[in-house]
Amino acid sequence: AASAAGNFGGPQTMPPDVLHLILCDDIQIDPNNYHRCNVLGLMTSMRCCAIPPFPVIRPQFVTLVVWTGGQGTGELTLHIIEEGTGNAVFRTRPRQVRFVGHAAEVGGVVFRIRNCSFPAAGLYWVQVLLGGLVIARQRLFLRPEEIAS
């Protein structure tokens, strides 16, 4: 994460420290405690069993971003980048966020990714950007399902 003020939104914006960047099927937030959530279907890779296996469209999955600290406001976006080509296969609309600035305060956001098309097997990067600069990223591998003969 960059440390210079002013690169992320307003003139006093400082990036947060991203604690978690989690890809999963869904998130359930505890209605009695917003700092507790259940992660359903943790994902590190996807296997595609269609013939042909690619391109594949994932109808929906979720990305949970949890941070601490940060200061000011900025635009948060999520991109999914194909490693081999550098092409973005998915981008969210910018989301305005406000950071409270205290290191003990935890914040977060849930991105619901719908109808993401992955053109080929391989490594993809799920990236969270603040003001256009990457503040966190997570690997996502796509593999064709191996058919036993």
Side-chain angles (χ1 to χ4, degrees), residues 31-43:
N32 299 316
N33 182 349
Y34 291 118
H35 292 281
R36 274 183 74 110
C37 65
N38 292 314
V39 173
L40 306 173
L42 181 68
M43 295 175 9

Side-chain angles (χ1 to χ4, degrees), residues 5-65:
N7 293 336
F8 298 96
Q12 299 300 319
T13 301
M14 293 294 290
D17 291 321
V18 176
L19 301 174
H20 305 289
L21 177 56
I22 298 172
L23 312 177
C24 58
D25 289 332
D26 203 3
I27 298 286
Q28 292 177 339
I29 306 294
D30 184 336
N32 299 316
N33 182 349
Y34 291 118
H35 292 281
R36 274 183 74 110
C37 65
N38 292 314
V39 173
L40 306 173
L42 181 68
M43 295 175 9
T44 57
S45 65
M46 290 184 206
R47 292 200 181 270
C48 307
C49 58
I51 300 197
F54 295 95
V56 65
I57 295 176
R58 177 75 183 216
Q60 179 174 307
F61 64 99
V62 172
T63 301
L64 171 66
V65 185

Side-chain angles (χ1 to χ4, degrees), residues 11 16 19 30 47 77 106 112 117 134:
L19 301 174
D30 184 336
R47 292 200 181 270
T77 56
V106 175
R112 296 199 179 274
S117 178
V134 176

Side-chain angles (χ1 to χ4, degrees), residues 67-139:
W67 63 74
T68 186
Q71 184 175 20
T73 61
E75 285 189 346
L76 205 60
T77 56
L78 181 137
H79 296 177
I80 301 176
I81 308 295
E82 185 179 8
E83 169 76 8
T85 65
N87 293 334
V89 299
F90 187 87
R91 294 174 193 229
T92 64
R93 291 183 180 163
R95 187 179 292 187
Q96 285 291 328
V97 292
R98 185 173 141 281
F99 304 107
V100 295
H102 192 277
E105 293 293 323
V106 175
V109 67
V110 173
F111 289 100
R112 296 199 179 274
I113 291 99
R114 291 184 172 89
N115 298 318
C116 183
S117 178
F118 295 95
L123 173 61
Y124 291 78
W125 289 100
V126 178
Q127 300 178 336
V128 177
L129 294 87
L130 179 62
L133 298 176
V134 176
I135 60 169
R137 68 184 196 157
Q138 176 67 44
R139 291 174 183 90

